[in-house]
Amino acid sequence: MTERAAVKAALKTQAVETPSWAYGNSGTRFKVFAQQGVPRDPREKLDDAAKVHEFTGVAPTVALHIPWDTVDDYAALARHAEDRGLRLGAINSNTFQDDDYRLGSVCHPDASVRRKAVDHLLECVGIMDATGSKDLKLWFADGTNYPGQDDIRARQDRLAEALAEVYERLGDDQRMLLEYKLFEPAFYTTDVPDWGTAYAHCLRLGPKARVVVDTGHHAPGTNIEFIVATLLREGKLGGFDFNSRFYADDDLMVGAADPFQLFRIMYEVVRGGGMSGDVAFMLDQCHNVESKIPAIVRSVMNVQEATAKALSVDRDALRAAQRDGDVLGANSVLMDAFSTDVRPLLREVREEMGLDPDPMAAYARSGWAEKIVAERVGGEQAGWGA
């Protein structure tokens, strides 16, 4: 197989999970701008997700968020996804939108609140059983705002106890993916603030626990590709949430602010064997001022472009320059790959997959946007209520 053929083969097997909540009304905590045609229930979210997969060919799974995507029959929801050429992906828990969680959820000082939070996480594992989902995604808003508000070490003990109970409930083929975030909504201490804390808990739990890296969850200037490389080296990178940021956790379209960073991250993914399917790649974005489905299609394409460039790095030339201490030569190898226009290559890949070479134009021609505006009248639009 030629190098070009190998790159194309890897791109054809790439998978990017889309999030159910991105199809609903979502945005900042200050204002969510409603749009026409937005899904009114989880099934309509899946209908929209099917269009993204139809035109990109690499978005076969959809992440659910509980309770935003609560239904009476999860097996039926899974069948609805299958009927549309999709599968249900990660089940995301929600322990941050209930009044009881004002002082935390699994780290709360009150044992009854902790019990409520853990029971919700166990409920999510039950949903995984019903849907065939393999990953439980955990992000906690837990933390404190003031020095002395709570015992920092005790909160870590409570977190470890909760995670251990949920971990024991997992099936043999299920995983726990622990996400971290530098700050917000907690501003003095955050209980899972960085990859080191998440890694430490996952290491103690065992092989079914892994770390999730979200692009927007770091301090300015953080070398995210170093974190990715380290977690891959340790076999502990379970998932990667794609988005983009200018200031904090902006959740903008992936690659919008710094496409070079996205390329650098994807190079480390390729270099570390992360394309094998063991790492769950998901968009974690909210589309507040832009049209939702086209924004998700474009986001998937941005990931594809960064991946194509990362796969195109001349690794033999790079190793030779690194071995020889050729600083500028090594840097030039990476820069050459980043500067390559891979769009013609991706058009070829799509045509070989039986897809339109221009997913954005194909979606615009499909009439789906007009159809959902006309049909989705009445009812309550899906959204997170910010």
Side-chain angles (χ1 to χ4, degrees), residues 239-271:
F240 198 100
D241 285 1
F242 289 115
N243 51 54
S244 195
R245 53 167 281 173
F246 287 99
Y247 295 106
D249 188 22
D250 302 345
D251 277 350
L252 297 175
M253 289 171 51
V254 59
D258 190 350
F260 185 46
Q261 179 192 64
L262 179 60
F263 160 74
R264 300 193 311 264
I265 290 169
M266 289 311 302
Y267 172 72
E268 291 303 333
V269 168
V270 170
R271 164 71 178 83

PDB file of all heavy atoms in Angstrom, residues 239-271:
ATOM      1  N   GLY A 239     -10.767   9.331  25.835  1.00  0.00           N
ATOM      2  CA  GLY A 239     -11.580  10.115  24.924  1.00  0.00           C
ATOM      3  C   GLY A 239     -11.030  11.507  24.743  1.00  0.00           C
ATOM      4  O   GLY A 239     -10.235  11.989  25.563  1.00  0.00           O
ATOM      5  N   PHE A 240     -11.449  12.134  23.663  1.00  0.00           N
ATOM      6  CA  PHE A 240     -11.038  13.503  23.376  1.00  0.00           C
ATOM      7  C   PHE A 240     -12.251  14.282  22.918  1.00  0.00           C
ATOM      8  O   PHE A 240     -12.934  13.895  21.983  1.00  0.00           O
ATOM      9  CB  PHE A 240      -9.949  13.534  22.301  1.00  0.00           C
ATOM     10  CG  PHE A 240      -9.198  14.828  22.267  1.00  0.00           C
ATOM     11  CD1 PHE A 240      -7.956  14.943  22.857  1.00  0.00           C
ATOM     12  CD2 PHE A 240      -9.740  15.955  21.678  1.00  0.00           C
ATOM     13  CE1 PHE A 240      -7.274  16.136  22.852  1.00  0.00           C
ATOM     14  CE2 PHE A 240      -9.071  17.156  21.675  1.00  0.00           C
ATOM     15  CZ  PHE A 240      -7.835  17.252  22.266  1.00  0.00           C
ATOM     16  N   ASP A 241     -12.533  15.383  23.623  1.00  0.00           N
ATOM     17  CA  ASP A 241     -13.662  16.232  23.264  1.00  0.00           C
ATOM     18  C   ASP A 241     -13.169  17.404  22.432  1.00  0.00           C
ATOM     19  O   ASP A 241     -12.400  18.244  22.918  1.00  0.00           O
ATOM     20  CB  ASP A 241     -14.364  16.753  24.520  1.00  0.00           C
ATOM     21  CG  ASP A 241     -15.195  15.683  25.193  1.00  0.00           C
ATOM     22  OD1 ASP A 241     -15.210  14.544  24.699  1.00  0.00           O
ATOM     23  OD2 ASP A 241     -15.828  15.985  26.226  1.00  0.00           O
ATOM     24  N   PHE A 242     -13.621  17.468  21.186  1.00  0.00           N
ATOM     25  CA  PHE A 242     -13.191  18.510  20.267  1.00  0.00           C
ATOM     26  C   PHE A 242     -14.053  19.759  20.417  1.00  0.00           C
ATOM     27  O   PHE A 242     -15.279  19.694  20.378  1.00  0.00           O
ATOM     28  CB  PHE A 242     -13.293  18.032  18.820  1.00  0.00           C
ATOM     29  CG  PHE A 242     -12.283  17.003  18.436  1.00  0.00           C
ATOM     30  CD1 PHE A 242     -12.676  15.715  18.096  1.00  0.00           C
ATOM     31  CD2 PHE A 242     -10.936  17.306  18.395  1.00  0.00           C
ATOM     32  CE1 PHE A 242     -11.756  14.769  17.710  1.00  0.00           C
ATOM     33  CE2 PHE A 242      -9.999  16.357  18.017  1.00  0.00           C
ATOM     34  CZ  PHE A 242     -10.416  15.087  17.680  1.00  0.00           C
ATOM     35  N   ASN A 243     -13.412  20.880  20.576  1.00  0.00           N
ATOM     36  CA  ASN A 243     -14.046  22.191  20.470  1.00  0.00           C
ATOM     37  C   ASN A 243     -12.921  23.205  20.282  1.00  0.00           C
ATOM     38  O   ASN A 243     -11.783  22.832  20.014  1.00  0.00           O
ATOM     39  CB  ASN A 243     -14.932  22.513  21.686  1.00  0.00           C
ATOM     40  CG  ASN A 243     -14.205  22.298  23.000  1.00  0.00           C
ATOM     41  OD1 ASN A 243     -13.137  22.838  23.219  1.00  0.00           O
ATOM     42  ND2 ASN A 243     -14.803  21.500  23.880  1.00  0.00           N
ATOM     43  N   SER A 244     -13.228  24.479  20.431  1.00  0.00           N
ATOM     44  CA  SER A 244     -12.204  25.501  20.268  1.00  0.00           C
ATOM     45  C   SER A 244     -12.473  26.638  21.241  1.00  0.00           C
ATOM     46  O   SER A 244     -13.605  26.834  21.692  1.00  0.00           O
ATOM     47  CB  SER A 244     -12.186  26.024  18.825  1.00  0.00           C
ATOM     48  OG  SER A 244     -11.008  26.752  18.570  1.00  0.00           O
ATOM     49  N   ARG A 245     -11.414  27.377  21.595  1.00  0.00           N
ATOM     50  CA  ARG A 245     -11.546  28.413  22.612  1.00  0.00           C
ATOM     51  C   ARG A 245     -10.656  29.608  22.278  1.00  0.00           C
ATOM     52  O   ARG A 245      -9.587  29.461  21.687  1.00  0.00           O
ATOM     53  CB  ARG A 245     -11.137  27.877  23.976  1.00  0.00           C
ATOM     54  CG  ARG A 245      -9.759  27.236  23.983  1.00  0.00           C
ATOM     55  CD  ARG A 245      -9.236  27.005  25.374  1.00  0.00           C
ATOM     56  NE  ARG A 245      -8.706  28.237  25.942  1.00  0.00           N
ATOM     57  CZ  ARG A 245      -8.302  28.365  27.197  1.00  0.00           C
ATOM     58  NH1 ARG A 245      -8.401  27.343  28.023  1.00  0.00           N
ATOM     59  NH2 ARG A 245      -7.814  29.492  27.638  1.00  0.00           N
ATOM     60  N   PHE A 246     -11.134  30.767  22.694  1.00  0.00           N
ATOM     61  CA  PHE A 246     -10.302  31.959  22.688  1.00  0.00           C
ATOM     62  C   PHE A 246      -9.892  32.337  24.107  1.00  0.00           C
ATOM     63  O   PHE A 246      -8.798  32.815  24.334  1.00  0.00           O
ATOM     64  CB  PHE A 246     -11.059  33.136  22.049  1.00  0.00           C
ATOM     65  CG  PHE A 246     -11.194  33.010  20.557  1.00  0.00           C
ATOM     66  CD1 PHE A 246     -12.363  32.540  19.981  1.00  0.00           C
ATOM     67  CD2 PHE A 246     -10.146  33.353  19.722  1.00  0.00           C
ATOM     68  CE1 PHE A 246     -12.494  32.426  18.605  1.00  0.00           C
ATOM     69  CE2 PHE A 246     -10.263  33.230  18.340  1.00  0.00           C
ATOM     70  CZ  PHE A 246     -11.441  32.774  17.783  1.00  0.00           C
ATOM     71  N   TYR A 247     -10.785  32.123  25.075  1.00  0.00           N
ATOM     72  CA  TYR A 247     -10.518  32.572  26.444  1.00  0.00           C
ATOM     73  C   TYR A 247     -10.608  31.446  27.464  1.00  0.00           C
ATOM     74  O   TYR A 247      -9.672  31.202  28.208  1.00  0.00           O
ATOM     75  CB  TYR A 247     -11.487  33.696  26.824  1.00  0.00           C
ATOM     76  CG  TYR A 247     -11.269  34.930  25.995  1.00  0.00           C
ATOM     77  CD1 TYR A 247     -12.164  35.268  24.982  1.00  0.00           C
ATOM     78  CD2 TYR A 247     -10.157  35.741  26.184  1.00  0.00           C
ATOM     79  CE1 TYR A 247     -11.957  36.395  24.196  1.00  0.00           C
ATOM     80  CE2 TYR A 247      -9.938  36.858  25.397  1.00  0.00           C
ATOM     81  CZ  TYR A 247     -10.849  37.187  24.413  1.00  0.00           C
ATOM     82  OH  TYR A 247     -10.632  38.295  23.634  1.00  0.00           O
ATOM     83  N   ALA A 248     -11.758  30.765  27.533  1.00  0.00           N
ATOM     84  CA  ALA A 248     -11.925  29.720  28.532  1.00  0.00           C
ATOM     85  C   ALA A 248     -12.615  28.539  27.866  1.00  0.00           C
ATOM     86  O   ALA A 248     -12.210  28.108  26.808  1.00  0.00           O
ATOM     87  CB  ALA A 248     -12.717  30.253  29.725  1.00  0.00           C
ATOM     88  N   ASP A 249     -13.678  28.032  28.481  1.00  0.00           N
ATOM     89  CA  ASP A 249     -14.371  26.878  27.915  1.00  0.00           C
ATOM     90  C   ASP A 249     -15.425  27.372  26.933  1.00  0.00           C
ATOM     91  O   ASP A 249     -16.629  27.274  27.174  1.00  0.00           O
ATOM     92  CB  ASP A 249     -15.003  26.062  29.048  1.00  0.00           C
ATOM     93  CG  ASP A 249     -15.582  24.751  28.559  1.00  0.00           C
ATOM     94  OD1 ASP A 249     -15.156  24.279  27.491  1.00  0.00           O
ATOM     95  OD2 ASP A 249     -16.464  24.206  29.236  1.00  0.00           O
ATOM     96  N   ASP A 250     -14.964  27.900  25.798  1.00  0.00           N
ATOM     97  CA  ASP A 250     -15.857  28.581  24.867  1.00  0.00           C
ATOM     98  C   ASP A 250     -16.781  27.623  24.109  1.00  0.00           C
ATOM     99  O   ASP A 250     -17.846  28.010  23.644  1.00  0.00           O
ATOM    100  CB  ASP A 250     -15.047  29.385  23.838  1.00  0.00           C
ATOM    101  CG  ASP A 250     -14.140  30.418  24.488  1.00  0.00           C
ATOM    102  OD1 ASP A 250     -14.335  30.709  25.682  1.00  0.00           O
ATOM    103  OD2 ASP A 250     -13.228  30.923  23.810  1.00  0.00           O
ATOM    104  N   ASP A 251     -16.347  26.364  23.937  1.00  0.00           N
ATOM    105  CA  ASP A 251     -17.134  25.364  23.201  1.00  0.00           C
ATOM    106  C   ASP A 251     -17.478  25.816  21.788  1.00  0.00           C
ATOM    107  O   ASP A 251     -18.570  25.538  21.276  1.00  0.00           O
ATOM    108  CB  ASP A 251     -18.413  25.003  23.963  1.00  0.00           C
ATOM    109  CG  ASP A 251     -18.163  23.938  25.032  1.00  0.00           C
ATOM    110  OD1 ASP A 251     -17.069  23.368  25.037  1.00  0.00           O
ATOM    111  OD2 ASP A 251     -19.054  23.697  25.860  1.00  0.00           O
ATOM    112  N   LEU A 252     -16.549  26.511  21.148  1.00  0.00           N
ATOM    113  CA  LEU A 252     -16.740  26.915  19.763  1.00  0.00           C
ATOM    114  C   LEU A 252     -16.391  25.753  18.831  1.00  0.00           C
ATOM    115  O   LEU A 252     -15.867  24.718  19.254  1.00  0.00           O
ATOM    116  CB  LEU A 252     -15.863  28.127  19.448  1.00  0.00           C
ATOM    117  CG  LEU A 252     -16.174  29.394  20.242  1.00  0.00           C
ATOM    118  CD1 LEU A 252     -15.150  30.468  19.923  1.00  0.00           C
ATOM    119  CD2 LEU A 252     -17.583  29.891  19.957  1.00  0.00           C
ATOM    120  N   MET A 253     -16.655  25.930  17.555  1.00  0.00           N
ATOM    121  CA  MET A 253     -16.356  24.901  16.573  1.00  0.00           C
ATOM    122  C   MET A 253     -14.876  24.552  16.590  1.00  0.00           C
ATOM    123  O   MET A 253     -14.014  25.434  16.629  1.00  0.00           O
ATOM    124  CB  MET A 253     -16.759  25.373  15.172  1.00  0.00           C
ATOM    125  CG  MET A 253     -18.253  25.445  14.956  1.00  0.00           C
ATOM    126  SD  MET A 253     -18.679  26.244  13.393  1.00  0.00           S
ATOM    127  CE  MET A 253     -17.654  25.310  12.259  1.00  0.00           C
ATOM    128  N   VAL A 254     -14.588  23.278  16.556  1.00  0.00           N
ATOM    129  CA  VAL A 254     -13.219  22.798  16.628  1.00  0.00           C
ATOM    130  C   VAL A 254     -12.371  23.415  15.509  1.00  0.00           C
ATOM    131  O   VAL A 254     -12.804  23.510  14.363  1.00  0.00           O
ATOM    132  CB  VAL A 254     -13.185  21.256  16.560  1.00  0.00           C
ATOM    133  CG1 VAL A 254     -13.825  20.747  15.277  1.00  0.00           C
ATOM    134  CG2 VAL A 254     -11.764  20.735  16.683  1.00  0.00           C
ATOM    135  N   GLY A 255     -11.181  23.864  15.867  1.00  0.00           N
ATOM    136  CA  GLY A 255     -10.279  24.455  14.899  1.00  0.00           C
ATOM    137  C   GLY A 255     -10.542  25.910  14.595  1.00  0.00           C
ATOM    138  O   GLY A 255      -9.824  26.516  13.797  1.00  0.00           O
ATOM    139  N   ALA A 256     -11.572  26.496  15.235  1.00  0.00           N
ATOM    140  CA  ALA A 256     -11.941  27.872  14.906  1.00  0.00           C
ATOM    141  C   ALA A 256     -10.886  28.868  15.360  1.00  0.00           C
ATOM    142  O   ALA A 256     -10.557  29.814  14.651  1.00  0.00           O
ATOM    143  CB  ALA A 256     -13.294  28.220  15.543  1.00  0.00           C
ATOM    144  N   ALA A 257     -10.343  28.675  16.563  1.00  0.00           N
ATOM    145  CA  ALA A 257      -9.397  29.641  17.109  1.00  0.00           C
ATOM    146  C   ALA A 257      -7.953  29.315  16.738  1.00  0.00           C
ATOM    147  O   ALA A 257      -7.166  30.212  16.458  1.00  0.00           O
ATOM    148  CB  ALA A 257      -9.536  29.709  18.634  1.00  0.00           C
ATOM    149  N   ASP A 258      -7.609  28.018  16.750  1.00  0.00           N
ATOM    150  CA  ASP A 258      -6.208  27.643  16.557  1.00  0.00           C
ATOM    151  C   ASP A 258      -6.132  26.311  15.810  1.00  0.00           C
ATOM    152  O   ASP A 258      -5.921  25.262  16.424  1.00  0.00           O
ATOM    153  CB  ASP A 258      -5.515  27.545  17.921  1.00  0.00           C
ATOM    154  CG  ASP A 258      -4.000  27.392  17.793  1.00  0.00           C
ATOM    155  OD1 ASP A 258      -3.513  27.180  16.661  1.00  0.00           O
ATOM    156  OD2 ASP A 258      -3.303  27.479  18.822  1.00  0.00           O
ATOM    157  N   PRO A 259      -6.288  26.327  14.489  1.00  0.00           N
ATOM    158  CA  PRO A 259      -6.201  25.069  13.739  1.00  0.00           C
ATOM    159  C   PRO A 259      -4.835  24.410  13.837  1.00  0.00           C
ATOM    160  O   PRO A 259      -4.728  23.186  13.712  1.00  0.00           O
ATOM    161  CB  PRO A 259      -6.526  25.494  12.298  1.00  0.00           C
ATOM    162  CG  PRO A 259      -6.294  26.969  12.254  1.00  0.00           C
ATOM    163  CD  PRO A 259      -6.604  27.474  13.623  1.00  0.00           C
ATOM    164  N   PHE A 260      -3.790  25.201  14.092  1.00  0.00           N
ATOM    165  CA  PHE A 260      -2.455  24.612  14.240  1.00  0.00           C
ATOM    166  C   PHE A 260      -2.389  23.756  15.499  1.00  0.00           C
ATOM    167  O   PHE A 260      -1.751  22.697  15.511  1.00  0.00           O
ATOM    168  CB  PHE A 260      -1.399  25.721  14.273  1.00  0.00           C
ATOM    169  CG  PHE A 260       0.020  25.214  14.300  1.00  0.00           C
ATOM    170  CD1 PHE A 260       0.442  24.203  13.463  1.00  0.00           C
ATOM    171  CD2 PHE A 260       0.949  25.768  15.174  1.00  0.00           C
ATOM    172  CE1 PHE A 260       1.749  23.739  13.484  1.00  0.00           C
ATOM    173  CE2 PHE A 260       2.250  25.327  15.202  1.00  0.00           C
ATOM    174  CZ  PHE A 260       2.663  24.305  14.362  1.00  0.00           C
ATOM    175  N   GLN A 261      -3.058  24.196  16.561  1.00  0.00           N
ATOM    176  CA  GLN A 261      -3.100  23.384  17.782  1.00  0.00           C
ATOM    177  C   GLN A 261      -3.806  22.063  17.514  1.00  0.00           C
ATOM    178  O   GLN A 261      -3.356  21.001  17.964  1.00  0.00           O
ATOM    179  CB  GLN A 261      -3.814  24.138  18.900  1.00  0.00           C
ATOM    180  CG  GLN A 261      -3.918  23.334  20.196  1.00  0.00           C
ATOM    181  CD  GLN A 261      -4.861  23.969  21.193  1.00  0.00           C
ATOM    182  OE1 GLN A 261      -6.061  24.088  20.947  1.00  0.00           O
ATOM    183  NE2 GLN A 261      -4.323  24.406  22.329  1.00  0.00           N
ATOM    184  N   LEU A 262      -4.917  22.125  16.781  1.00  0.00           N
ATOM    185  CA  LEU A 262      -5.643  20.901  16.460  1.00  0.00           C
ATOM    186  C   LEU A 262      -4.760  19.949  15.668  1.00  0.00           C
ATOM    187  O   LEU A 262      -4.760  18.732  15.920  1.00  0.00           O
ATOM    188  CB  LEU A 262      -6.907  21.242  15.669  1.00  0.00           C
ATOM    189  CG  LEU A 262      -7.774  20.069  15.228  1.00  0.00           C
ATOM    190  CD1 LEU A 262      -8.271  19.264  16.418  1.00  0.00           C
ATOM    191  CD2 LEU A 262      -8.962  20.581  14.392  1.00  0.00           C
ATOM    192  N   PHE A 263      -3.991  20.461  14.730  1.00  0.00           N
ATOM    193  CA  PHE A 263      -3.057  19.636  13.966  1.00  0.00           C
ATOM    194  C   PHE A 263      -2.011  19.017  14.885  1.00  0.00           C
ATOM    195  O   PHE A 263      -1.699  17.815  14.789  1.00  0.00           O
ATOM    196  CB  PHE A 263      -2.378  20.489  12.891  1.00  0.00           C
ATOM    197  CG  PHE A 263      -1.095  19.915  12.361  1.00  0.00           C
ATOM    198  CD1 PHE A 263      -1.095  18.828  11.497  1.00  0.00           C
ATOM    199  CD2 PHE A 263       0.129  20.464  12.738  1.00  0.00           C
ATOM    200  CE1 PHE A 263       0.100  18.299  11.004  1.00  0.00           C
ATOM    201  CE2 PHE A 263       1.318  19.950  12.254  1.00  0.00           C
ATOM    202  CZ  PHE A 263       1.306  18.865  11.388  1.00  0.00           C
ATOM    203  N   ARG A 264      -1.456  19.805  15.795  1.00  0.00           N
ATOM    204  CA  ARG A 264      -0.427  19.289  16.702  1.00  0.00           C
ATOM    205  C   ARG A 264      -0.983  18.178  17.586  1.00  0.00           C
ATOM    206  O   ARG A 264      -0.314  17.170  17.836  1.00  0.00           O
ATOM    207  CB  ARG A 264       0.145  20.414  17.567  1.00  0.00           C
ATOM    208  CG  ARG A 264       0.794  21.542  16.793  1.00  0.00           C
ATOM    209  CD  ARG A 264       1.620  22.458  17.685  1.00  0.00           C
ATOM    210  NE  ARG A 264       0.923  22.902  18.879  1.00  0.00           N
ATOM    211  CZ  ARG A 264       0.271  24.062  19.006  1.00  0.00           C
ATOM    212  NH1 ARG A 264       0.164  24.876  17.942  1.00  0.00           N
ATOM    213  NH2 ARG A 264      -0.298  24.411  20.144  1.00  0.00           N
ATOM    214  N   ILE A 265      -2.200  18.374  18.055  1.00  0.00           N
ATOM    215  CA  ILE A 265      -2.842  17.346  18.879  1.00  0.00           C
ATOM    216  C   ILE A 265      -3.045  16.075  18.064  1.00  0.00           C
ATOM    217  O   ILE A 265      -2.731  14.958  18.520  1.00  0.00           O
ATOM    218  CB  ILE A 265      -4.181  17.864  19.426  1.00  0.00           C
ATOM    219  CG1 ILE A 265      -3.936  18.949  20.487  1.00  0.00           C
ATOM    220  CG2 ILE A 265      -5.010  16.721  20.015  1.00  0.00           C
ATOM    221  CD1 ILE A 265      -5.178  19.705  20.891  1.00  0.00           C
ATOM    222  N   MET A 266      -3.562  16.210  16.853  1.00  0.00           N
ATOM    223  CA  MET A 266      -3.838  15.034  16.043  1.00  0.00           C
ATOM    224  C   MET A 266      -2.551  14.326  15.624  1.00  0.00           C
ATOM    225  O   MET A 266      -2.543  13.101  15.448  1.00  0.00           O
ATOM    226  CB  MET A 266      -4.667  15.413  14.817  1.00  0.00           C
ATOM    227  CG  MET A 266      -6.118  15.789  15.143  1.00  0.00           C
ATOM    228  SD  MET A 266      -6.966  14.594  16.213  1.00  0.00           S
ATOM    229  CE  MET A 266      -6.839  13.089  15.249  1.00  0.00           C
ATOM    230  N   TYR A 267      -1.456  15.089  15.485  1.00  0.00           N
ATOM    231  CA  TYR A 267      -0.190  14.410  15.193  1.00  0.00           C
ATOM    232  C   TYR A 267       0.199  13.491  16.349  1.00  0.00           C
ATOM    233  O   TYR A 267       0.634  12.344  16.129  1.00  0.00           O
ATOM    234  CB  TYR A 267       0.943  15.401  14.915  1.00  0.00           C
ATOM    235  CG  TYR A 267       2.260  14.672  14.818  1.00  0.00           C
ATOM    236  CD1 TYR A 267       2.542  13.868  13.717  1.00  0.00           C
ATOM    237  CD2 TYR A 267       3.185  14.716  15.861  1.00  0.00           C
ATOM    238  CE1 TYR A 267       3.717  13.135  13.639  1.00  0.00           C
ATOM    239  CE2 TYR A 267       4.366  13.991  15.794  1.00  0.00           C
ATOM    240  CZ  TYR A 267       4.629  13.202  14.685  1.00  0.00           C
ATOM    241  OH  TYR A 267       5.775  12.468  14.621  1.00  0.00           O
ATOM    242  N   GLU A 268       0.035  13.966  17.580  1.00  0.00           N
ATOM    243  CA  GLU A 268       0.374  13.126  18.727  1.00  0.00           C
ATOM    244  C   GLU A 268      -0.571  11.944  18.837  1.00  0.00           C
ATOM    245  O   GLU A 268      -0.174  10.856  19.286  1.00  0.00           O
ATOM    246  CB  GLU A 268       0.358  13.948  20.024  1.00  0.00           C
ATOM    247  CG  GLU A 268       1.483  14.974  20.118  1.00  0.00           C
ATOM    248  CD  GLU A 268       2.873  14.373  19.993  1.00  0.00           C
ATOM    249  OE1 GLU A 268       3.049  13.180  20.330  1.00  0.00           O
ATOM    250  OE2 GLU A 268       3.783  15.089  19.549  1.00  0.00           O
ATOM    251  N   VAL A 269      -1.823  12.131  18.444  1.00  0.00           N
ATOM    252  CA  VAL A 269      -2.765  11.018  18.420  1.00  0.00           C
ATOM    253  C   VAL A 269      -2.296   9.960  17.431  1.00  0.00           C
ATOM    254  O   VAL A 269      -2.259   8.762  17.738  1.00  0.00           O
ATOM    255  CB  VAL A 269      -4.182  11.512  18.068  1.00  0.00           C
ATOM    256  CG1 VAL A 269      -5.103  10.339  17.749  1.00  0.00           C
ATOM    257  CG2 VAL A 269      -4.763  12.342  19.214  1.00  0.00           C
ATOM    258  N   VAL A 270      -1.931  10.409  16.228  1.00  0.00           N
ATOM    259  CA  VAL A 270      -1.435   9.477  15.207  1.00  0.00           C
ATOM    260  C   VAL A 270      -0.145   8.825  15.677  1.00  0.00           C
ATOM    261  O   VAL A 270       0.018   7.603  15.593  1.00  0.00           O
ATOM    262  CB  VAL A 270      -1.224  10.221  13.870  1.00  0.00           C
ATOM    263  CG1 VAL A 270      -0.489   9.332  12.866  1.00  0.00           C
ATOM    264  CG2 VAL A 270      -2.558  10.680  13.295  1.00  0.00           C
ATOM    265  N   ARG A 271       0.768   9.629  16.177  1.00  0.00           N
ATOM    266  CA  ARG A 271       2.070   9.133  16.646  1.00  0.00           C
ATOM    267  C   ARG A 271       1.912   8.120  17.773  1.00  0.00           C
ATOM    268  O   ARG A 271       2.651   7.126  17.849  1.00  0.00           O
ATOM    269  CB  ARG A 271       2.908  10.333  17.132  1.00  0.00           C
ATOM    270  CG  ARG A 271       4.132  10.012  17.990  1.00  0.00           C
ATOM    271  CD  ARG A 271       5.237   9.366  17.178  1.00  0.00           C
ATOM    272  NE  ARG A 271       6.399   9.111  18.007  1.00  0.00           N
ATOM    273  CZ  ARG A 271       6.564   8.052  18.790  1.00  0.00           C
ATOM    274  NH1 ARG A 271       5.598   7.135  18.871  1.00  0.00           N
ATOM    275  NH2 ARG A 271       7.660   7.888  19.497  1.00  0.00           N
TER     276      ARG A 271
END
